[in-house]
Amino acid sequence: MGTTQRVFVGLDVEWALVCADLANGALVHGWIEETGVAEAGDLPLELRELVAYLGARRDAVFSDRWLITLLDRAAGKGQEAQLAARVIVRAKGGRRGRGNPTPAPPR
């Protein structure tokens, strides 16, 4: 396994641990819900599913609002800032097939 592959394997393992903590999903869910761009029942609660949902939506208003919210949080310090940055990278990076489920259909 090459160095690049090891880096991505390590990131995927770390992401799995982040997703396993249900508090992370609840936190990100709350941030998105606070934007008012989606009804609470529309958003998945599980972090991996929520990130896939965010990445799959092809609605500019929706995407702009959640992205701005998470970018503001990612600009901070600490674990919440890191979580926000990771969510942005995963949702926008589209590393489908490497631990991310098939995204929800766009609305």
Side-chain angles (χ1 to χ4, degrees), residues 16-103:
L17 293 173
V18 169
C19 289
D21 184 344
L22 299 179
N24 289 329
L27 188 58
V28 175
H29 184 276
W31 294 338
I32 304 302
E33 191 176 86
E34 285 174 11
T35 68
V37 75
E39 297 294 321
D42 290 347
L43 299 171
L45 293 173
E46 198 272 327
L47 184 59
R48 190 178 309 268
E49 292 175 10
L50 179 57
V51 168
Y53 177 84
L54 295 174
R57 285 281 301 260
R58 298 293 178 242
D59 173 343
V61 172
F62 176 84
S63 293
D64 287 353
R65 289 188 55 195
W66 76 256
L67 190 54
I68 289 167
T69 297
L70 266 65
L71 284 169
D72 284 345
R73 298 224 181 238
K77 294 182 181 180
Q79 291 181 337
E80 287 187 9
Q82 288 181 358
L83 176 60
R86 286 178 175 159
V87 169
I88 293 166
V89 169
R90 285 289 172 159
K92 291 305 204 179
R95 295 205 59 232
R96 313 265 186 258
R98 294 190 56 105
N100 286 340
T102 303

